Amino acid sequence: MTMSESCNQSCKDCSETCSERKEEFDFSEPLHEMSSVKKVIGIVSGKGGVGKSLVTSLLAVAMNRKGYNTAILDADITGPSIPKAFGVKEKATRNRYGALPVKTKKGTDIMSINLMLDDDTDPVVWRGPVIASAVKQFWSEVIWTDVDYMFIDMPPGTGDVPLTVFQSLPIDGIVIVTSPQELVSMIVTKAVKMAEMMNIPIVGLVENMSYFKCPDNDKNYQIFGDSHIEEVAEKHNLKILAKIPIDPKIATACDRGEIEEVEGDWLEEVAEILSSEI
């Protein structure tokens, strides 16, 4: 059968069969039947090294302190760092129904590929489709119990995994992490455009390594040059959610697995937005 002259190109709502029919596939991945996850927030960046995992960790900690049950799905399969930041050393286990995430000292549930490897330093040498499949399994085969907010730490860029997460998981919004360098503003724009193409709501921007507060004179110094986050935010009509400083205490806490002990109100506004608007 050929296409009708009155065809409106909406194959989804049409029962006719014709040679021009375009199938619309549902890529959504079902949550494990024993799981309960209310809100899912993706943490993304256009490039690596801007502190995306740090922001993911601090957001989970901030929401946990507000009394919410939080979880982190570490989708950065080839560069997992979440367990290290929280000092989680035990491995994930399974029961007859599925895999079980590991709880941090303060009660945040975590699932990461490093929780399944015999040695944390073993490389994950997988091709893109296999990595994307693993991320979907973290969603569908792990039993997430009574999670109010799940944060997904995604790998940088606009490749297989971010695409899989956007298509397969019910993302309620994303936070884009950037740094002050001018180059980053162009790369952030790529991440913004991808989210817009996929109709994913953008909560706003977080600038990491924004400045250094000198303990001797209490002045702020922009180590990486002038910030360009205002330009990016204005260009895309986005909120600037936070500016996180360069602070040796944060790095030390991550190295020691004590991210839950870090004191700072940098992400308080983000936490308020998530709890009231998302």
Side-chain angles (χ1 to χ4, degrees):
M1 179 182 293
T2 58
M3 185 188 301
S4 167
E5 292 182 359
S6 61
C7 177
N8 62 5
Q9 301 289 323
S10 181
C11 299
K12 182 179 180 181
D13 302 319
C14 178
S15 60
E16 298 292 335
T17 301
C18 70
S19 59
E20 302 296 327
R21 184 176 181 84
K22 301 174 183 176
E23 295 294 339
E24 296 189 15
F25 296 98
D26 182 5
F27 293 98
S28 60
E29 189 74 13
L31 184 64
H32 192 288
E33 60 181 7
M34 296 178 67
S35 293
S36 173
V37 179
K38 294 178 182 177
K39 299 294 181 180
V40 181
I41 308 297
I43 313 300
V44 307
S45 64
K47 67 182 293 294
V50 297
K52 172 180 47 56
S53 296
L54 171 65
V55 172
T56 302
S57 302
L58 290 176
L59 275 176
V61 170
M63 295 304 285
N64 179 271
R65 288 174 178 170
K66 282 184 169 293
Y68 295 104
N69 292 330
T70 58
I72 298 177
L73 190 161
D74 190 355
D76 196 351
I77 302 296
T78 59
S81 57
I82 295 297
K84 170 72 173 176
F86 283 86
V88 172
K89 297 179 180 179
E90 63 183 288
K91 300 302 178 182
T93 58
R94 295 185 65 91
N95 61 23
R96 58 184 294 188
Y97 303 108
L100 303 174
V102 176
K103 280 192 179 296
T104 68
K105 297 173 185 176
K106 302 291 186 179
T108 293
D109 287 327
I110 291 177
M111 179 53 72
S112 170
I113 195 67
N114 262 12
L115 302 180
M116 296 183 162
L117 300 175
D118 292 333
D119 188 331
D120 289 351
T121 61
D122 287 344
V124 178
V125 188
W126 296 346
R127 295 191 183 277
V130 180
I131 294 175
S133 177
V135 172
K136 290 195 290 186
Q137 286 179 294
F138 282 175
W139 173 258
S140 63
E141 297 184 18
V142 174
I143 302 174
W144 301 97
T145 305
D146 296 328
V147 174
D148 294 314
Y149 288 89
M150 172 182 284
F151 297 93
I152 301 182
D153 183 17
M154 287 199 271
T158 55
D160 282 341
V161 172
L163 179 61
T164 295
V165 171
F166 287 168
Q167 288 184 325
S168 304
L169 276 57
I171 304 295
D172 293 287
I174 64 169
V175 172
I176 299 178
V177 183
T178 181
S179 59
Q181 296 97 321
E182 184 172 4
L183 168 67
V184 175
S185 63
M186 178 269 291
I187 299 175
V188 168
T189 300
K190 290 180 180 289
V192 170
K193 287 184 176 180
M194 181 180 185
E196 291 172 345
M197 288 172 59
M198 305 294 294
N199 294 317
I200 304 296
I202 302 175
V203 181
L205 304 173
V206 171
E207 184 176 72
N208 188 37
M209 299 178 285
S210 184
Y211 58 91
F212 170 72
K213 181 180 285 294
C214 179
D216 295 331
N217 59 21
D218 210 32
K219 291 183 179 180
N220 292 342
Y221 294 90
Q222 295 179 313
I223 304 297
F224 293 110
D226 294 336
S227 171
H228 296 272
I229 193 171
E230 282 82 7
E231 301 167 20
V232 177
E234 183 178 359
K235 180 179 178 180
H236 298 283
N237 194 29
L238 298 174
K239 293 180 181 178
I240 298 175
L241 302 173
K243 293 185 177 183
I244 303 176
I246 299 171
D247 190 337
K249 293 180 181 179
I250 299 177
T252 300
C254 288
D255 290 341
R256 293 178 177 175
E258 300 174 349
I259 193 67
E260 290 174 300
E261 304 302 325
V262 171
E263 296 294 335
D265 60 356
W266 314 292
L267 297 178
E268 183 62 30
E269 181 179 347
V270 193
E272 288 294 336
I273 291 174
L274 293 181
S275 59
S276 62
E277 299 181 15
I278 303 296

